[in-house]
Amino acid sequence: MSNGETHDDPPPHDEPIPIYLGPYETWNFGDGRAYAFPALREHVEFITALAEIKFDKTVDAAAAAGGGTTGIGTTQRLAWNPTLWNPQYLHFRPFVVYNPSGRIDGLESLRLLLGTGLKQLLNPLLVDIEQSRARIAFPIPRRAMHPDQGRDPEEPDWCPDEGLRGRIGDRRITIFAVIDDGLPFAHRNFRDASGARTRVEFCWLQAATICDKQHSVLFGREYTRERIEELIDQFGGDEDELYREAGATTDRDDLGSLINRHATHGAHVMDLGTGYAEERGETPPEEIRVIAVQLPNTIAWDTSGFGKDMYMLSAFHYIFDRADRIAKGYCIENVRLVINFSYGFSGGRHDGGTELEAAINEMVQLRRKSGSPTALVLPSGNNFLDAMHARISEADFKDNRAELYWRIQPNDRTSSYLELWFAKGIDPSKYVVELHDPFGQVRQTISVTPDPIYKGQPGDPRRTSGLQNQSGQSAGELSADCHRGDCWRVLVVMAPTEPDDASLPAMEAGRWTVVVTRGDAAGPLKLPIQCWIQRADDPESLRSGSRQSYFDHADNVHYTPQGDLKETDTFESEVKRFGSLSGLATGQTSLIVGGYRLGAGVGSSLKYARPASYSSAGTRGETGLSAQVACASMSDRSRVLSGTWAAGNRSGSLSLVQGTSAAAPFVARQLATAFVTADDASVAQAETQNYRDLLRGYDGDADEPTTARLGAIRVPPHWQPGLDLTLLDEN
């Protein structure tokens, strides 16, 4: 450690500083820790978290960013900030805490450790630590961490390209940013026409092994434009050797480096968003500069949404900070920024109030208010037909009782999660949730009320009950909490039906019944209870052993009389296709993109485009949720030709990827192009619709269900083999 700092002893503190952890942390670091992914249950030296900070209202919140005193009687550094953008104005913060024991002995020790670390980073006189909350993310391996840095990372070693303005003339410099996995930052498609200069100004690989000489990022490695161009010049067309020499292949963690695969989700998305290839007849626009952030491989391990928040929010801070540096370096006022984030999860509040969504929205709104146009493009999700969303409305209660049927699959090696959300403003204190096992026995009951034992303690009103399997062993959890103090949630967690460790208790597979009952005094339910099952399937072949659970209602009709997949809701069923939007794509600043397939053959007009069967949709009817798909682009070329083509990990290679993640970058690409040429008035006016009005494509005569899935405009892809773009753009 530098400056005489050591990590030999546990960090001292003057008094306990507990910080609130939610029900996902309670399970994954409590009774469910044995089932968690290896990164959580094994050696945990550097813990990552996202904190929601409660500033003291009597003082200037900007002063609280100083963090000048630790208040813990030591100069030992035990907590760090990653790159932060304008933290003095934001209520959410990513941070990293040192865990001297290398293990987590329980929830209480974890709370104390996080609270003590946060207290060191912030001025405790100006911040109410005990009313702050944290969401834990996957730890940082020591090989990827810079524990010898100070509280904040150092300035990056970057200079603007002195010849850029001479090459592009008066064209407006615009920034395209991508957050994804497996990003081939030296790929030919992200360079200029000469092939010698890259358009990538900054790239951060969050899980790469550190370079001792670099302290511009807290963890992983950063590559600037100059370094990438040095690598291109040194290794020419040998990209395998280039990435090895650059240290980009060191993000292994038992899965192997994604950059060494033929294709990745990130390479595909990045090419669709800002790739330009000579063989496609494209001329690279040097005025579009690129910032790339590669998330750790472990991000994809737990698809439930747990374990990712710190890394994702850090990516946004990094992008905003580096965008400001690009603007200053190239003398640009109010530089325009488009961010493509082709990621999502199925759970959450779906009203923009989940911690990560709220944190991202706060940042985007702040940047827009400063005068810098900022577009955030997100996919709608791919769960339309997967029976992972249900609603319990007033009509579903019979004698004050409603039922959900939840199919837990055999041979599942990961935990399963079901969330029931009551709408804001609803008092659920007269409601009780019962869990019945596949054999008809009541396994556990919980009332949706605060447990008195937590009165006066930090955090949300809550109660928690354990679940046992048929043998009486702890194998799950049932909890109720008033999330962020304004929206009640019931969370059911099931242990795997076939754990990796055969000695661990397993939960029974089969059809479980979730029964919601209420007393006569509850009154009619004004808005439905929204229910989401967390996604569990692998997005790539990551060997998690997960099997997706789903709602198993006999009245949910899956096929039309003609034998086709039924893409409308069954009125009588609680299971709903509409309202299945990604839980990350419901904030006010998100431009939500659905996916379409061409409806009358390859090259046919967008007038005949139809929603891809999996493309998730906004809500219909009175649900209390307002998020809707804004627009759509191609995710399948036709009914039988699935997916879209884009670059693989090496220059000249191709990959085929299906899903709304591949539709979003087509929209982000067109927005970046529009940002280059649009006047300030047009951009400012388009902000109210998250810049949707800057898009071109087909808009018009869709029926209401189609609009709920495709939005107001269908954006053509910029390139796909065999497509006539003239027909596609026909209005």
Side-chain angles (χ1 to χ4, degrees):
M1 303 296 293
S2 64
N3 301 321
E5 295 179 357
T6 64
H7 280 162
D8 295 330
D9 301 310
H13 51 81
D14 295 334
E15 58 185 21
I17 317 167
I19 191 169
Y20 173 64
L21 301 175
Y24 279 89
E25 285 77 14
T26 301
W27 169 249
N28 280 281
F29 290 98
D31 291 343
R33 188 174 176 204
Y35 307 103
F37 290 103
L40 294 178
R41 65 176 183 257
E42 296 175 355
H43 191 75
V44 182
E45 187 175 9
F46 297 102
I47 300 171
T48 71
L50 179 155
E52 181 175 3
I53 300 166
K54 300 293 185 181
F55 288 116
D56 188 326
K57 295 180 180 179
T58 64
V59 299
D60 181 5
T69 60
T70 67
I72 58 175
T74 180
T75 59
Q76 176 188 23
R77 177 136 306 279
L78 54 93
W80 301 265
N81 292 321
T83 300
L84 296 179
W85 176 83
N86 284 343
Q88 65 269 31
Y89 302 112
L90 301 171
H91 292 84
F92 297 88
R93 183 168 306 194
F95 68 106
V96 178
V97 173
Y98 172 64
N99 180 25
S101 70
R103 65 182 185 276
I104 296 175
D105 296 320
L107 281 171
E108 191 59 30
S109 64
L110 180 60
R111 291 189 185 100
L112 293 175
L113 193 64
L114 291 169
T116 304
L118 190 60
K119 189 173 183 179
Q120 187 185 72
L121 291 174
L122 302 166
N123 189 326
L125 299 177
L126 305 183
V127 180
D128 188 347
I129 299 290
E130 293 191 0
Q131 289 304 314
S132 299
R133 70 182 67 244
R135 290 221 69 195
I136 308 301
F138 286 110
I140 299 170
R142 171 166 276 279
R143 61 164 184 79
M145 177 69 183
H146 278 291
D148 55 340
Q149 78 160 45
R151 186 193 64 175
D152 302 293
E154 297 176 359
E155 299 284 312
D157 184 15
W158 173 85
C159 293
D161 182 346
E162 294 181 357
L164 178 61
R165 183 56 68 186
R167 297 194 300 272
I168 68 173
D170 60 357
R171 295 197 295 274
R172 182 192 299 270
I173 292 176
T174 297
I175 300 173
F176 183 98
V178 60
I179 305 170
D180 220 296
D181 65 19
L183 299 177
F185 54 85
H187 197 288
R188 179 67 177 79
N189 290 10
F190 311 126
R191 306 179 199 172
D192 71 351
S194 73
R197 290 184 292 265
T198 182
R199 294 184 293 115
V200 179
E201 294 284 355
F202 293 99
C203 178
W204 180 23
L205 307 189
Q206 290 186 334
T209 298
I210 62 171
C211 174
D212 291 338
K213 298 178 181 179
Q214 185 185 79
H215 290 86
S216 59
V217 289
L218 175 60
F219 46 90
R221 288 197 187 194
E222 180 178 43
Y223 303 87
T224 63
R225 186 197 68 259
E226 300 99 313
R227 177 56 179 153
I228 296 171
E229 290 176 354
E230 288 175 2
L231 291 166
I232 292 171
D233 180 65
Q234 183 178 357
F235 296 101
D238 190 349
E239 292 177 24
D240 290 342
E241 184 63 22
L242 184 155
Y243 290 121
R244 281 195 297 270
E245 176 66 21
T249 62
T250 60
D251 59 336
R252 296 181 178 277
D253 293 327
D254 300 327
L255 297 173
S257 178
L258 292 185
I259 199 67
N260 281 337
R261 298 187 179 191
H262 167 75
T264 60
H265 186 275
H268 192 95
V269 166
M270 190 171 175
D271 185 45
L272 292 181
T274 191
Y276 292 82
E278 182 180 358
E279 61 269 23
R280 301 197 298 242
E282 299 168 335
T283 301
E286 286 199 77
E287 65 273 15
I288 296 180
R289 314 308 288 175
V290 180
I291 302 173
V293 179
Q294 178 175 297
L295 300 171
N297 293 353
T298 48
I299 289 297
W301 278 9
D302 191 332
T303 53
S304 70
F306 178 78
K308 308 168 177 64
D309 292 26
M310 192 286 303
Y311 291 101
M312 293 179 177
L313 187 58
S314 294
F316 278 86
H317 276 276
Y318 175 85
I319 288 168
F320 282 24
D321 176 86
R322 296 315 192 245
D324 284 354
R325 294 179 188 277
I326 291 172
K328 183 178 180 180
Y330 291 113
C331 300
I332 314 165
E333 288 189 11
N334 300 325
V335 65
R336 299 172 180 179
L337 170 66
V338 177
I339 304 170
N340 188 96
F341 190 17
S342 285
Y343 186 84
F345 43 79
S346 53
R349 295 169 51 143
H350 288 71
D351 64 357
T354 305
E355 288 90 342
L356 181 59
E357 266 197 305
I360 293 171
N361 287 336
E362 185 180 42
M363 292 185 68
V364 173
Q365 288 172 347
L366 180 59
R367 192 170 190 276
R368 289 178 179 178
K369 287 179 181 177
S370 72
S372 298
T374 309
L376 173 59
V377 182
L378 294 164
S380 66
N382 303 320
N383 299 324
F384 188 71
L385 296 178
D386 292 342
M388 294 166 61
H389 171 54
R391 288 202 305 266
I392 299 175
S393 61
E394 178 61 29
D396 297 316
F397 281 92
K398 310 300 181 186
D399 297 324
N400 285 332
R401 176 187 175 97
E403 296 181 348
L404 290 174
Y405 305 110
W406 185 22
R407 178 67 65 174
I408 304 295
Q409 298 216 53
N411 309 118
D412 186 3
R413 297 182 184 274
T414 64
S415 300
S416 298
Y417 301 86
L418 168 61
E419 298 179 351
L420 287 74
W421 289 90
F422 291 81
K424 279 186 180 182
I426 289 182
D427 176 11
S429 59
K430 301 297 188 294
Y431 285 78
V432 172
V433 176
E434 298 176 355
L435 188 63
H436 297 223
D437 65 23
F439 314 103
Q441 302 298 314
V442 177
R443 193 64 68 84
Q444 187 57 275
T445 300
I446 194 168
S447 62
V448 193
T449 57
D451 190 327
I453 67 171
Y454 297 114
K455 187 175 182 180
Q457 294 189 22
D460 297 333
R462 60 197 182 275
R463 68 170 57 238
T464 302
S465 298
L467 291 177
Q468 296 180 336
N469 62 15
Q470 216 174 15
S471 301
Q473 300 167 300
S474 178
E477 195 166 272
L478 182 61
S479 65
D481 66 306
C482 189
H483 182 254
R484 299 183 66 208
D486 63 4
C487 192
W488 276 92
R489 161 182 57 184
V490 174
L491 175 65
V492 189
V493 186
M494 296 282 197
T497 57
E498 188 177 330
D500 286 323
D501 183 349
S503 67
L504 293 173
M507 192 56 89
E508 296 82 20
R511 195 178 82 159
W512 291 71
T513 304
V514 179
V515 180
V516 181
T517 63
R518 64 187 183 187
D520 292 334
L525 190 65
K526 296 180 180 179
L527 293 170
I529 302 169
Q530 302 283 352
C531 312
W532 283 280
I533 295 169
Q534 289 281 20
R535 186 178 123 203
D537 56 332
D538 282 338
E540 298 188 47
S541 54
L542 298 177
R543 305 185 300 277
S544 71
S546 59
R547 298 196 69 200
Q548 182 65 59
S549 64
Y550 57 92
F551 290 116
D552 189 8
H553 289 237
D555 58 3
N556 177 33
V557 180
H558 293 276
Y559 299 97
T560 68
Q562 294 75 33
D564 201 357
L565 291 170
K566 186 173 184 288
E567 297 188 37
T568 57
D569 286 333
T570 305
F571 179 77
E572 300 83 5
S573 179
E574 290 89 347
V575 182
K576 302 298 180 185
R577 295 159 178 80
F578 288 87
S580 55
L581 283 178
S582 163
L584 188 59
T586 62
Q588 294 180 348
T589 59
S590 302
L591 185 71
I592 307 173
V593 183
Y596 65 68
R597 60 174 173 83
L598 297 178
V602 174
S604 60
S605 170
L606 291 183
K607 179 178 181 180
Y608 305 107
R610 292 295 176 262
S613 61
Y614 48 78
S615 183
S616 295
T619 57
R620 300 177 64 195
E622 183 60 31
T623 65
L625 302 178
S626 59
Q628 296 289 340
V629 174
C631 57
S633 192
M634 182 185 291
S635 58
D636 290 327
R637 293 156 293 156
S638 74
R639 190 180 182 90
V640 296
L641 296 175
S642 62
T644 57
W645 290 102
N649 273 341
R650 298 296 183 265
S651 298
S653 65
L654 287 176
S655 65
L656 185 67
V657 172
Q658 182 184 37
T660 57
S661 286
F666 285 129
V667 173
R669 184 189 193 96
Q670 195 184 115
L671 273 182
T673 302
F675 271 5
V676 170
T677 58
D679 60 72
D680 290 340
S682 298
V683 172
Q685 185 176 5
E687 182 185 299
T688 58
Q689 295 294 327
N690 295 317
Y691 309 105
R692 185 193 66 190
D693 294 343
L694 296 178
L695 299 170
R696 61 175 179 82
Y698 179 85
D699 54 348
D701 55 8
D703 57 16
E704 192 271 334
T706 302
T707 300
R709 300 181 67 187
L710 297 185
I713 184 169
R714 304 169 200 176
V715 176
H718 74 281
W719 165 85
Q720 287 295 292
L723 297 189
D724 185 341
L725 297 184
T726 303
L727 290 174
L728 285 173
D729 200 24
E730 211 174 67
N731 194 347

